[in-house]
Amino acid sequence: MFKVHAVAPNRLNALLKAMPKAELHIHIEGSLEPELIFKMAERNGVQLPFADVAAMRAAYAFTDLQSFLDLYYAGASVLLHEQDFYDMAWAYFEKAAADHVVRAELFFDPQTHTARGVPMAAVIEGLSRACRDAQTALNISADLILCFLRHLPEADALATLEAALPWRAHFIGVGLDSSEVGNPPENFSRVFAKARALGLHVVAHAGEEGPPAYIWSALQELQVERIDHGVQAIHDAALMAHLVKHQTPLTVCPLSNLKLCVFKQLSDHNLGQMLEAGVCVTINSDDPAYFGGYLNDNYVQTFAALHLDAQSAYKLAANSIEASFATLEQKHHWMHQLKQCFQGFSEQD
Ligand code: ADE
Ligand code: ZN
């Protein structure tokens, strides 16, 4: 066990920023800032339903997941060319580097783009080129996870997986996102079985707004390796025990949960309780351009609201690294860096 020394309260935020960490739940389309949306709209001749950046930002007042998704899909309509996908991901990587993200696993929604006539090649090759440049220029290890839209039929998901297969080497896994309630995981059991047979990692959004039964279904029917969100697990004691026993990681997104009214206030968030109970929780940003903060903002605001300490910071960063789909060698290297970072902070106190 690595011993975490106390850190002075006024230095906790600096530690949160400096510690190496992984981001495992980021929809790359959700990192598209209004400024970039308007720039791309202009260069691509796309009409937006907002007069300017300020009007667009003013509309970011959400009441639930669906109210956000409607705007999120509208924002993504400006993405047409390979360079657009590259520019979007690159803007995210620059922010991630500032937050000391060493590993990023990016969700992308091909159906949002192919349905508008954008070629799969433009989507995957643009994102993939940005991932390669993130490694060489920013020392961020990055990979892609292809997400299926659960508000569409499973047949669409199967066709999407098929259409993406020429680029099989460019993504490491599949996920399930979009409108949760009414679209349970078991509806996608065939496409997930196919993805697993192809050697892809599998994750799914479950228990963001939906019931604990959806988390059970993601685990048992889809056989996922991580649950995205999963905060509703707290209402099912047997599920909590299962998550602790199997150390199934949850990719929790506190500012997203706040903005989508899953919790009324950040101080009501159950991340601290989950951590205390021994669940393998991680902190992530989800859709940072829409929810008011990138990864470090999520850490800083959650730590302030829940009064978390350096011990929790270490645990959350370590969980993020261990729960990633990086190689054992990479994980070992980042865990070493993480320990050195904490030692550096305790020596300065
Ligand atoms: N797509 C983008 N963000 C999402 C979220 N928080 N839940 C479900 N689908 C999403
Ligand atoms: Zn999400």
Side-chain angles (χ1 to χ4, degrees):
M1 249 311 257
F2 177 69
K3 173 115 178 69
V4 177
H5 295 281
V7 168
N10 65 342
R11 304 198 60 239
L12 184 60
N13 284 356
L15 172 64
L16 292 173
K17 180 127 186 162
M19 63 185 191
K21 53 185 91 63
E23 172 139 69
L24 308 178
H25 186 160
I26 158 83
H27 301 263
I28 200 59
E29 293 91 345
S31 74
L32 205 46
E33 294 284 348
E35 288 78 5
L36 197 49
I37 291 178
F38 270 84
K39 194 170 148 189
M40 287 186 190
E42 196 168 327
R43 78 185 186 202
N44 290 338
V46 174
Q47 200 63 35
L48 288 170
F50 299 101
D52 52 28
V53 165
M56 186 159 199
R57 267 196 210 286
Y60 291 3
F62 311 116
T63 50
D64 58 10
L65 175 58
Q66 193 58 51
S67 65
F68 152 70
L69 289 171
D70 294 341
L71 263 184
Y72 163 84
Y73 295 128
S77 69
V78 299
L79 297 158
L80 295 186
H81 308 295
E82 193 257 16
Q83 190 66 41
D84 301 332
F85 291 89
Y86 179 92
D87 291 348
M88 170 173 66
W90 188 253
Y92 164 72
F93 285 130
E94 287 188 319
K95 297 239 171 50
D99 285 350
H100 292 100
V101 171
V102 293
R103 167 76 181 166
E105 297 179 4
L106 272 50
F107 293 150
F108 70 109
D109 291 339
Q111 288 156 291
T112 301
H113 314 299
T114 53
R116 296 180 288 113
V118 176
M120 187 68 84
V123 179
I124 300 186
E125 288 174 15
L127 296 177
S128 187
R129 182 161 64 89
C131 289
R132 286 196 300 278
D133 285 358
Q135 180 67 77
T136 50
L138 301 171
N139 204 22
I140 295 176
S141 160
D143 278 304
L144 300 172
I145 296 179
L146 183 160
C147 286
F148 304 118
L149 299 180
R150 68 202 305 162
H151 69 271
L152 298 176
E154 189 184 33
D156 280 37
L158 282 160
T160 300
L161 182 57
E162 198 66 36
L165 284 186
W167 294 272
R168 165 66 186 85
H170 295 257
F171 55 100
I172 60 163
V174 300
L176 185 67
D177 64 4
S178 193
S179 321
E180 184 184 11
V181 175
N183 299 304
E186 65 269 20
N187 290 0
F188 295 86
S189 53
R190 285 182 309 155
V191 72
F192 270 69
K194 180 148 194 220
R196 291 198 313 274
L198 287 163
L200 288 158
H201 287 291
V202 287
V203 299
H205 283 54
E208 178 182 13
E209 290 182 340
Y214 283 24
I215 302 175
W216 281 119
S217 173
L219 293 170
Q220 294 171 338
E221 307 298 325
L222 306 187
Q223 297 174 34
V224 297
E225 296 160 81
R226 299 192 301 241
I227 294 284
D228 298 313
H229 292 293
V231 293
Q232 304 303 333
I234 204 103
H235 304 296
D236 182 333
L239 177 56
M240 287 291 283
H242 180 97
L243 294 174
V244 172
K245 182 175 173 198
H246 296 276
Q247 284 297 291
T248 311
L250 301 189
T251 63
V252 176
C253 308
L255 289 181
S256 163
N257 294 154
L258 178 68
K259 290 286 155 46
L260 301 187
C261 307
V262 174
F263 297 95
K264 261 213 192 86
Q265 313 171 78
L266 208 47
S267 55
D268 294 337
H269 201 287
N270 62 22
L271 180 135
Q273 272 170 276
M274 294 264 199
L275 205 55
E276 192 79 3
V279 179
C280 180
V281 284
T282 63
I283 289 188
N284 306 271
S285 70
D286 207 7
D287 301 282
Y290 292 88
F291 300 148
Y294 284 78
L295 188 54
N296 193 56
D297 303 307
N298 273 272
Y299 272 95
V300 167
Q301 292 188 42
T302 304
F303 271 63
L306 302 181
H307 309 292
L308 301 177
D309 60 7
Q311 182 78 52
S312 299
Y314 180 83
K315 186 70 185 152
L316 286 161
N319 283 351
S320 75
I321 291 167
E322 297 292 359
S324 77
F325 296 136
T327 65
L328 284 178
E329 199 181 348
Q330 287 174 308
K331 291 182 188 185
H332 191 78
H333 174 65
W334 296 322
M335 284 302 294
H336 179 69
Q337 285 186 337
L338 180 64
K339 286 171 185 159
Q340 281 191 319
C341 174
F342 272 72
Q343 266 156 7
F345 267 79
S346 65
E347 278 159 14
Q348 287 167 35
D349 281 331

Coordinates of all heavy atoms in Angstrom, one line a residue, residues 219-302:
L219 N -24.0 -5.3 -17.3 CA -22.9 -6.3 -16.8 C -23.2 -7.7 -17.3 O -22.3 -8.4 -17.8 CB -23.0 -6.3 -15.3 CG -22.5 -5.0 -14.6 CD1 -22.8 -5.0 -13.1 CD2 -21.0 -4.7 -14.8
Q220 N -24.5 -8.1 -17.2 CA -24.8 -9.5 -17.5 C -25.1 -9.8 -18.9 O -24.7 -10.8 -19.5 CB -25.9 -9.9 -16.6 CG -25.5 -9.9 -15.1 CD -26.7 -10.1 -14.1 OE1 -27.8 -9.9 -14.5 NE2 -26.3 -10.6 -12.9
E221 N -25.8 -8.9 -19.6 CA -26.2 -9.2 -21.0 C -25.1 -8.7 -22.0 O -24.8 -9.4 -23.0 CB -27.5 -8.5 -21.4 CG -28.7 -8.8 -20.4 CD -29.0 -10.3 -20.4 OE1 -28.9 -10.9 -21.5 OE2 -29.4 -10.8 -19.3
L222 N -24.5 -7.5 -21.7 CA -23.5 -7.0 -22.6 C -22.1 -7.4 -22.2 O -21.1 -7.2 -22.9 CB -23.6 -5.5 -22.7 CG -25.0 -4.9 -23.1 CD1 -24.9 -3.4 -23.3 CD2 -25.5 -5.6 -24.3
Q223 N -21.9 -7.8 -20.9 CA -20.6 -8.2 -20.3 C -19.6 -7.1 -20.4 O -18.4 -7.3 -20.8 CB -20.1 -9.5 -21.0 CG -21.1 -10.7 -20.7 CD -20.7 -11.9 -21.5 OE1 -19.5 -12.2 -21.7 NE2 -21.7 -12.7 -21.9
V224 N -20.0 -5.9 -20.1 CA -19.1 -4.8 -20.2 C -18.0 -4.8 -19.1 O -18.2 -5.4 -18.1 CB -19.9 -3.4 -20.0 CG1 -20.9 -3.2 -21.1 CG2 -20.6 -3.3 -18.6
E225 N -16.9 -4.2 -19.5 CA -15.8 -4.1 -18.5 C -15.8 -2.9 -17.6 O -15.2 -2.9 -16.6 CB -14.5 -4.1 -19.4 CG -14.3 -5.3 -20.2 CD -13.3 -5.1 -21.4 OE1 -12.1 -5.1 -21.2 OE2 -13.8 -4.8 -22.5
R226 N -16.5 -1.9 -18.0 CA -16.7 -0.7 -17.2 C -18.1 -0.2 -17.4 O -18.7 -0.4 -18.5 CB -15.8 0.5 -17.6 CG -14.3 0.2 -17.6 CD -13.5 1.5 -17.7 NE -13.7 2.3 -18.9 CZ -12.7 2.5 -19.8 NH1 -11.5 2.1 -19.6 NH2 -13.0 3.2 -20.9
I227 N -18.6 0.5 -16.4 CA -19.9 1.2 -16.5 C -19.7 2.7 -16.6 O -19.0 3.2 -15.8 CB -20.8 0.8 -15.3 CG1 -21.2 -0.6 -15.2 CG2 -22.1 1.7 -15.2 CD1 -22.2 -1.1 -16.1
D228 N -20.3 3.3 -17.6 CA -20.2 4.7 -17.7 C -21.4 5.4 -16.9 O -22.5 5.0 -17.1 CB -20.2 5.1 -19.2 CG -19.0 4.6 -19.9 OD1 -17.9 4.7 -19.4 OD2 -19.2 3.9 -21.0
H229 N -21.0 6.2 -16.0 CA -21.9 6.8 -15.0 C -22.1 5.8 -13.9 O -21.3 5.7 -13.0 CB -23.2 7.4 -15.5 CG -23.0 8.5 -16.5 ND1 -22.6 9.8 -16.0 CD2 -23.2 8.7 -17.8 CE1 -22.5 10.6 -17.0 NE2 -22.9 10.0 -18.1
G230 N -23.2 5.1 -13.9 CA -23.5 4.1 -12.8 C -23.9 4.6 -11.5 O -24.0 3.9 -10.5
V231 N -24.1 6.0 -11.4 CA -24.4 6.5 -10.1 C -25.7 6.0 -9.4 O -25.9 6.1 -8.2 CB -24.4 8.1 -10.1 CG1 -23.0 8.6 -10.4 CG2 -25.4 8.6 -11.2
Q232 N -26.6 5.5 -10.2 CA -27.9 5.0 -9.7 C -27.7 3.6 -9.0 O -28.6 3.1 -8.3 CB -29.0 4.8 -10.7 CG -29.3 6.1 -11.5 CD -29.7 7.3 -10.6 OE1 -30.2 7.0 -9.5 NE2 -29.5 8.5 -11.0
A233 N -26.5 3.1 -9.1 CA -26.2 1.8 -8.4 C -26.4 1.9 -6.9 O -26.7 0.9 -6.2 CB -24.7 1.3 -8.7
I234 N -26.3 3.1 -6.4 CA -26.4 3.3 -4.9 C -27.7 2.8 -4.3 O -27.9 2.6 -3.2 CB -26.1 4.8 -4.6 CG1 -25.7 5.0 -3.2 CG2 -27.4 5.7 -4.9 CD1 -24.2 5.3 -3.0
H235 N -28.7 2.7 -5.2 CA -30.1 2.3 -4.8 C -30.3 0.8 -4.7 O -31.4 0.4 -4.5 CB -31.2 3.0 -5.7 CG -31.0 4.5 -5.8 ND1 -31.2 5.3 -4.7 CD2 -30.7 5.3 -6.8 CE1 -31.0 6.5 -5.0 NE2 -30.7 6.6 -6.3
D236 N -29.2 0.1 -5.0 CA -29.4 -1.4 -5.0 C -28.2 -2.0 -4.3 O -27.0 -2.0 -4.8 CB -29.4 -1.9 -6.5 CG -29.5 -3.4 -6.7 OD1 -29.1 -4.1 -5.8 OD2 -30.0 -3.8 -7.8
A237 N -28.4 -2.5 -3.1 CA -27.3 -2.9 -2.2 C -26.6 -4.1 -2.8 O -25.4 -4.2 -2.7 CB -27.9 -3.3 -0.8
A238 N -27.3 -5.0 -3.5 CA -26.7 -6.2 -4.1 C -25.8 -5.8 -5.2 O -24.7 -6.4 -5.4 CB -27.8 -7.2 -4.6
L239 N -26.2 -4.8 -6.0 CA -25.4 -4.3 -7.1 C -24.1 -3.6 -6.5 O -23.0 -3.8 -7.1 CB -26.2 -3.3 -7.9 CG -25.5 -2.6 -9.1 CD1 -24.9 -3.7 -10.1 CD2 -26.5 -1.7 -9.8
M240 N -24.3 -2.8 -5.5 CA -23.1 -2.2 -4.9 C -22.1 -3.3 -4.5 O -20.9 -3.1 -4.7 CB -23.5 -1.3 -3.7 CG -24.2 -0.1 -4.1 SD -23.2 1.1 -4.8 CE -22.3 1.8 -3.4
A241 N -22.6 -4.3 -3.8 CA -21.7 -5.4 -3.4 C -21.0 -6.1 -4.6 O -19.8 -6.4 -4.5 CB -22.5 -6.4 -2.6
H242 N -21.8 -6.2 -5.6 CA -21.2 -6.8 -6.9 C -20.1 -6.0 -7.4 O -19.0 -6.4 -7.8 CB -22.3 -7.0 -7.9 CG -21.9 -7.6 -9.2 ND1 -22.0 -9.0 -9.4 CD2 -21.3 -7.1 -10.3 CE1 -21.5 -9.2 -10.6 NE2 -21.1 -8.1 -11.2
L243 N -20.4 -4.7 -7.5 CA -19.4 -3.7 -8.1 C -18.1 -3.7 -7.2 O -17.0 -3.6 -7.8 CB -20.0 -2.3 -8.2 CG -21.1 -2.1 -9.1 CD1 -21.7 -0.7 -9.0 CD2 -20.7 -2.4 -10.6
V244 N -18.3 -3.8 -5.9 CA -17.1 -3.8 -5.0 C -16.3 -5.1 -5.2 O -15.1 -5.1 -5.3 CB -17.5 -3.6 -3.5 CG1 -16.3 -3.8 -2.6 CG2 -18.1 -2.2 -3.3
K245 N -17.1 -6.2 -5.2 CA -16.4 -7.5 -5.3 C -15.6 -7.7 -6.6 O -14.5 -8.1 -6.5 CB -17.5 -8.6 -5.2 CG -17.0 -10.0 -5.2 CD -18.0 -11.1 -5.0 CE -17.5 -12.4 -5.3 NZ -18.5 -13.4 -5.5
H246 N -16.2 -7.2 -7.7 CA -15.6 -7.4 -9.0 C -14.7 -6.2 -9.4 O -14.0 -6.2 -10.4 CB -16.6 -7.7 -10.0 CG -17.3 -9.0 -9.8 ND1 -16.8 -10.2 -10.2 CD2 -18.5 -9.3 -9.2 CE1 -17.6 -11.2 -9.8 NE2 -18.7 -10.6 -9.2
Q247 N -14.7 -5.2 -8.5 CA -14.0 -3.9 -8.8 C -14.3 -3.4 -10.2 O -13.3 -3.0 -11.0 CB -12.5 -4.1 -8.6 CG -12.1 -4.1 -7.1 CD -12.4 -2.8 -6.4 OE1 -11.8 -1.8 -6.7 NE2 -13.5 -2.8 -5.5
T248 N -15.5 -3.5 -10.6 CA -15.9 -3.0 -11.9 C -15.8 -1.5 -11.9 O -16.5 -0.8 -11.1 CB -17.4 -3.4 -12.2 OG1 -17.6 -4.7 -12.0 CG2 -17.8 -3.0 -13.7
P249 N -15.0 -0.9 -12.8 CA -14.9 0.6 -12.7 C -16.2 1.3 -13.2 O -16.9 0.9 -14.1 CB -13.8 0.9 -13.7 CG -13.0 -0.4 -13.9 CD -14.1 -1.5 -13.7
L250 N -16.5 2.4 -12.5 CA -17.5 3.3 -12.9 C -16.8 4.6 -13.3 O -16.0 5.2 -12.6 CB -18.4 3.7 -11.7 CG -19.2 2.6 -11.0 CD1 -20.2 3.3 -10.0 CD2 -19.9 1.7 -11.9
T251 N -17.2 5.1 -14.5 CA -16.6 6.4 -15.0 C -17.7 7.5 -14.7 O -18.6 7.7 -15.5 CB -16.3 6.3 -16.5 OG1 -17.5 6.1 -17.2 CG2 -15.3 5.2 -16.8
V252 N -17.5 8.1 -13.5 CA -18.4 9.0 -13.0 C -18.1 10.4 -13.5 O -16.9 10.8 -13.7 CB -18.4 9.0 -11.5 CG1 -19.3 10.1 -10.9 CG2 -18.9 7.6 -11.0
C253 N -19.1 11.3 -13.8 CA -18.9 12.6 -14.4 C -19.7 13.6 -13.6 O -20.8 13.9 -13.9 CB -19.4 12.6 -15.8 SG -18.7 11.2 -16.8
P254 N -19.1 14.1 -12.5 CA -19.8 14.9 -11.5 C -20.4 16.2 -12.1 O -21.6 16.5 -11.8 CB -18.8 15.3 -10.5 CG -17.7 14.2 -10.6 CD -17.7 13.8 -12.0
L255 N -19.7 17.0 -12.9 CA -20.3 18.2 -13.4 C -21.4 17.9 -14.4 O -22.4 18.7 -14.5 CB -19.2 19.1 -14.1 CG -18.2 19.8 -13.1 CD1 -17.2 20.7 -13.8 CD2 -19.0 20.6 -12.0
S256 N -21.3 16.8 -15.2 CA -22.4 16.4 -16.1 C -23.6 16.1 -15.2 O -24.7 16.6 -15.6 CB -21.9 15.2 -16.8 OG -23.0 14.5 -17.4
N257 N -23.4 15.3 -14.2 CA -24.6 15.0 -13.3 C -25.3 16.2 -12.7 O -26.5 16.2 -12.6 CB -24.1 14.0 -12.2 CG -23.6 12.7 -12.7 OD1 -22.8 12.0 -12.0 ND2 -24.1 12.2 -13.8
L258 N -24.4 17.2 -12.4 CA -25.0 18.4 -11.9 C -25.8 19.2 -13.0 O -26.9 19.5 -12.8 CB -23.8 19.3 -11.4 CG -24.3 20.7 -10.8 CD1 -25.0 20.5 -9.5 CD2 -23.0 21.5 -10.5
K259 N -25.2 19.3 -14.1 CA -25.8 20.1 -15.2 C -27.1 19.4 -15.8 O -28.0 20.1 -16.2 CB -24.8 20.4 -16.3 CG -23.7 21.4 -15.9 CD -24.2 22.8 -15.9 CE -23.5 23.7 -15.0 NZ -22.1 23.8 -14.9
L260 N -27.1 18.1 -15.7 CA -28.3 17.4 -16.2 C -29.2 17.0 -15.1 O -30.2 16.2 -15.3 CB -27.8 16.1 -17.0 CG -26.9 16.4 -18.2 CD1 -26.7 15.1 -19.0 CD2 -27.4 17.5 -19.1
C261 N -29.0 17.6 -13.9 CA -30.0 17.5 -12.8 C -30.1 16.1 -12.3 O -31.2 15.8 -11.8 CB -31.3 18.1 -13.2 SG -31.2 19.8 -13.9
V262 N -29.1 15.3 -12.4 CA -29.1 14.0 -11.7 C -29.0 14.2 -10.2 O -29.6 13.4 -9.4 CB -28.0 13.1 -12.3 CG1 -27.9 11.8 -11.6 CG2 -28.2 12.9 -13.8
F263 N -28.2 15.2 -9.8 CA -28.1 15.6 -8.4 C -28.4 17.1 -8.4 O -28.0 17.9 -9.3 CB -26.7 15.4 -7.9 CG -26.4 13.9 -7.8 CD1 -25.6 13.4 -8.8 CD2 -26.8 13.1 -6.7 CE1 -25.3 12.0 -8.8 CE2 -26.4 11.8 -6.7 CZ -25.7 11.2 -7.7
K264 N -29.1 17.6 -7.4 CA -29.5 19.0 -7.3 C -28.3 19.9 -7.1 O -28.2 21.0 -7.7 CB -30.5 19.2 -6.1 CG -31.9 19.2 -6.5 CD -32.7 20.2 -5.6 CE -34.2 20.0 -5.7 NZ -34.7 18.9 -4.9
Q265 N -27.4 19.5 -6.2 CA -26.2 20.2 -6.0 C -25.0 19.3 -6.0 O -25.2 18.1 -5.7 CB -26.2 20.9 -4.6 CG -27.5 21.6 -4.2 CD -27.5 22.0 -2.8 OE1 -26.9 23.0 -2.4 NE2 -28.2 21.2 -2.0
L266 N -23.8 19.8 -6.2 CA -22.7 18.9 -6.3 C -22.4 18.3 -4.9 O -21.9 17.2 -4.8 CB -21.4 19.7 -6.7 CG -20.3 19.0 -7.4 CD1 -20.8 18.1 -8.5 CD2 -19.3 19.9 -8.0
S267 N -22.8 19.0 -3.8 CA -22.6 18.5 -2.5 C -23.6 17.3 -2.2 O -23.4 16.5 -1.3 CB -22.8 19.5 -1.4 OG -24.1 20.1 -1.6
D268 N -24.6 17.1 -3.1 CA -25.4 15.9 -3.0 C -24.9 14.7 -3.7 O -25.4 13.6 -3.6 CB -26.8 16.2 -3.6 CG -27.6 17.2 -2.8 OD1 -27.3 17.4 -1.6 OD2 -28.5 17.9 -3.4
H269 N -23.8 14.9 -4.5 CA -23.3 13.8 -5.3 C -22.8 12.6 -4.4 O -22.3 12.8 -3.4 CB -22.1 14.3 -6.2 CG -21.9 13.4 -7.4 ND1 -21.4 12.2 -7.3 CD2 -22.3 13.6 -8.7 CE1 -21.4 11.6 -8.5 NE2 -21.9 12.4 -9.4
N270 N -23.0 11.4 -5.0 CA -22.7 10.2 -4.2 C -21.3 9.6 -4.4 O -21.0 8.6 -3.9 CB -23.8 9.1 -4.4 CG -23.9 8.6 -5.8 OD1 -22.9 8.8 -6.6 ND2 -25.0 8.0 -6.1
L271 N -20.5 10.4 -5.2 CA -19.1 9.9 -5.5 C -18.3 9.5 -4.2 O -17.6 8.5 -4.1 CB -18.4 10.9 -6.3 CG -16.9 10.5 -6.7 CD1 -16.7 10.7 -8.2 CD2 -15.9 11.2 -5.9
G272 N -18.4 10.4 -3.2 CA -17.7 10.2 -1.9 C -18.2 8.9 -1.2 O -17.4 8.1 -0.8
Q273 N -19.5 8.7 -1.2 CA -20.1 7.5 -0.6 C -19.6 6.2 -1.4 O -19.3 5.2 -0.8 CB -21.6 7.5 -0.8 CG -22.4 8.2 0.3 CD -23.8 8.4 -0.1 OE1 -24.2 9.3 -0.8 NE2 -24.7 7.4 0.3
M274 N -19.6 6.3 -2.7 CA -19.2 5.2 -3.5 C -17.7 4.8 -3.2 O -17.3 3.7 -3.1 CB -19.2 5.6 -5.0 CG -20.6 5.8 -5.5 SD -21.2 4.3 -6.2 CE -22.6 4.9 -7.2
L275 N -16.9 5.9 -3.1 CA -15.5 5.7 -2.8 C -15.3 5.0 -1.5 O -14.5 4.1 -1.3 CB -14.8 7.1 -2.9 CG -13.3 7.2 -3.2 CD1 -13.0 6.6 -4.5 CD2 -12.9 8.7 -3.2
E276 N -16.0 5.5 -0.5 CA -16.0 5.0 0.8 C -16.4 3.5 0.9 O -15.9 2.7 1.6 CB -17.0 5.9 1.7 CG -16.9 5.7 3.1 CD -15.8 6.5 3.7 OE1 -15.0 7.2 3.0 OE2 -15.6 6.3 4.9
A277 N -17.4 3.2 0.0 CA -17.9 1.8 0.0 C -17.0 0.9 -0.7 O -17.2 -0.4 -0.7 CB -19.3 1.8 -0.7
G278 N -15.9 1.4 -1.3 CA -15.0 0.5 -2.0 C -15.2 0.3 -3.5 O -14.6 -0.6 -4.1
V279 N -16.1 1.1 -4.1 CA -16.4 1.0 -5.5 C -15.2 1.6 -6.2 O -14.7 2.6 -5.8 CB -17.7 1.7 -5.9 CG1 -17.9 1.6 -7.4 CG2 -18.9 1.1 -5.2
C280 N -14.8 1.0 -7.4 CA -13.7 1.6 -8.2 C -14.3 2.8 -9.0 O -14.6 2.6 -10.2 CB -13.1 0.5 -9.1 SG -11.8 1.1 -10.1
V281 N -14.4 3.9 -8.4 CA -14.9 5.1 -9.1 C -13.8 5.9 -9.7 O -12.7 5.9 -9.2 CB -15.8 6.0 -8.2 CG1 -17.1 5.4 -8.0 CG2 -15.1 6.4 -6.9
T282 N -14.1 6.6 -10.8 CA -13.1 7.5 -11.5 C -13.9 8.8 -11.8 O -15.1 8.8 -11.9 CB -12.6 6.9 -12.8 OG1 -13.7 6.7 -13.7 CG2 -11.9 5.5 -12.6
I283 N -13.1 9.9 -12.0 CA -13.7 11.2 -12.3 C -13.4 11.5 -13.8 O -12.3 11.3 -14.2 CB -13.2 12.3 -11.4 CG1 -13.8 12.1 -10.0 CG2 -13.5 13.7 -11.9 CD1 -13.5 13.2 -9.0
N284 N -14.4 12.0 -14.5 CA -14.3 12.3 -15.9 C -15.2 13.5 -16.3 O -16.0 13.9 -15.4 CB -14.9 11.0 -16.7 CG -14.1 9.8 -16.3 OD1 -13.1 9.4 -16.8 ND2 -14.7 9.1 -15.3
S285 N -15.0 14.0 -17.5 CA -15.7 15.2 -17.8 C -17.0 15.0 -18.7 O -17.8 16.0 -18.9 CB -14.8 16.2 -18.5 OG -14.4 15.7 -19.8
D286 N -17.1 13.9 -19.4 CA -18.3 13.6 -20.2 C -18.4 14.5 -21.5 O -18.0 14.1 -22.5 CB -19.6 13.7 -19.4 CG -20.7 12.8 -19.9 OD1 -20.5 12.1 -20.8 OD2 -21.9 12.9 -19.3
D287 N -18.9 15.7 -21.3 CA -19.1 16.6 -22.4 C -18.6 18.0 -22.0 O -19.5 18.9 -21.7 CB -20.6 16.7 -22.9 CG -21.0 15.3 -23.3 OD1 -20.7 14.9 -24.4 OD2 -21.7 14.7 -22.5
P288 N -17.3 18.2 -21.8 CA -16.8 19.4 -21.1 C -17.3 20.7 -21.7 O -17.4 21.7 -20.9 CB -15.3 19.2 -21.1 CG -15.0 18.3 -22.2 CD -16.2 17.4 -22.3
A289 N -17.5 20.8 -23.0 CA -17.8 22.1 -23.6 C -19.3 22.5 -23.2 O -19.6 23.7 -23.2 CB -17.7 22.1 -25.1
Y290 N -20.1 21.5 -22.8 CA -21.5 21.8 -22.4 C -21.7 21.9 -20.9 O -22.7 22.4 -20.5 CB -22.4 20.7 -23.0 CG -22.4 20.7 -24.5 CD1 -21.5 20.0 -25.3 CD2 -23.4 21.5 -25.2 CE1 -21.5 20.1 -26.7 CE2 -23.5 21.5 -26.6 CZ -22.5 20.8 -27.3 OH -22.6 20.9 -28.7
F291 N -20.8 21.3 -20.2 CA -21.1 21.1 -18.7 C -20.2 22.0 -17.8 O -20.2 21.9 -16.6 CB -21.0 19.7 -18.3 CG -21.9 18.7 -19.0 CD1 -21.5 17.4 -19.3 CD2 -23.1 19.2 -19.5 CE1 -22.4 16.6 -20.0 CE2 -24.0 18.3 -20.2 CZ -23.6 17.0 -20.4
G292 N -19.5 22.9 -18.5 CA -18.8 24.0 -17.7 C -17.5 23.5 -17.1 O -17.0 24.1 -16.1
G293 N -16.8 22.5 -17.6 CA -15.5 22.2 -17.1 C -14.9 20.9 -17.7 O -15.6 20.0 -18.0
Y294 N -13.5 21.0 -17.8 CA -12.7 19.9 -18.3 C -12.4 19.0 -17.1 O -13.0 19.2 -16.0 CB -11.5 20.4 -19.1 CG -12.0 20.9 -20.4 CD1 -12.6 22.1 -20.6 CD2 -11.9 20.0 -21.6 CE1 -13.1 22.5 -21.8 CE2 -12.4 20.4 -22.8 CZ -13.0 21.7 -22.9 OH -13.5 22.0 -24.2
L295 N -11.4 18.1 -17.3 CA -11.2 17.1 -16.2 C -10.8 17.7 -14.9 O -11.4 17.4 -13.8 CB -10.2 16.1 -16.7 CG -10.0 14.9 -15.8 CD1 -11.3 14.2 -15.5 CD2 -9.0 13.9 -16.3
N296 N -9.8 18.6 -14.9 CA -9.4 19.2 -13.6 C -10.5 20.0 -12.9 O -10.6 20.0 -11.7 CB -8.1 20.1 -13.8 CG -7.5 20.4 -12.5 OD1 -7.2 19.5 -11.8 ND2 -7.4 21.6 -12.2
D297 N -11.3 20.7 -13.7 CA -12.5 21.4 -13.1 C -13.4 20.4 -12.4 O -13.9 20.7 -11.3 CB -13.3 22.1 -14.2 CG -12.5 23.1 -15.0 OD1 -11.8 23.9 -14.4 OD2 -12.5 23.0 -16.2
N298 N -13.6 19.2 -12.9 CA -14.4 18.2 -12.3 C -13.8 17.7 -11.0 O -14.5 17.6 -10.0 CB -14.6 17.0 -13.2 CG -15.8 17.1 -14.1 OD1 -16.9 16.8 -13.8 ND2 -15.5 17.7 -15.3
Y299 N -12.4 17.5 -11.0 CA -11.8 17.2 -9.7 C -11.9 18.3 -8.7 O -12.3 18.0 -7.5 CB -10.3 16.9 -10.0 CG -10.0 15.5 -10.4 CD1 -9.8 15.1 -11.7 CD2 -9.7 14.5 -9.4 CE1 -9.5 13.8 -12.1 CE2 -9.4 13.2 -9.8 CZ -9.3 12.8 -11.1 OH -9.0 11.5 -11.5
V300 N -11.5 19.5 -9.1 CA -11.5 20.6 -8.1 C -12.8 20.9 -7.5 O -13.0 21.0 -6.3 CB -10.9 21.9 -8.8 CG1 -11.1 23.1 -8.0 CG2 -9.4 21.7 -9.1
Q301 N -13.9 21.0 -8.3 CA -15.2 21.3 -7.8 C -15.8 20.1 -7.0 O -16.4 20.4 -6.0 CB -16.1 21.7 -9.0 CG -15.7 23.0 -9.6 CD -16.7 23.5 -10.6 OE1 -17.9 23.4 -10.4 NE2 -16.3 24.0 -11.8
T302 N -15.5 18.9 -7.4 CA -16.0 17.8 -6.6 C -15.3 17.7 -5.3 O -15.9 17.4 -4.2 CB -15.8 16.5 -7.4 OG1 -16.5 16.6 -8.7 CG2 -16.4 15.3 -6.7

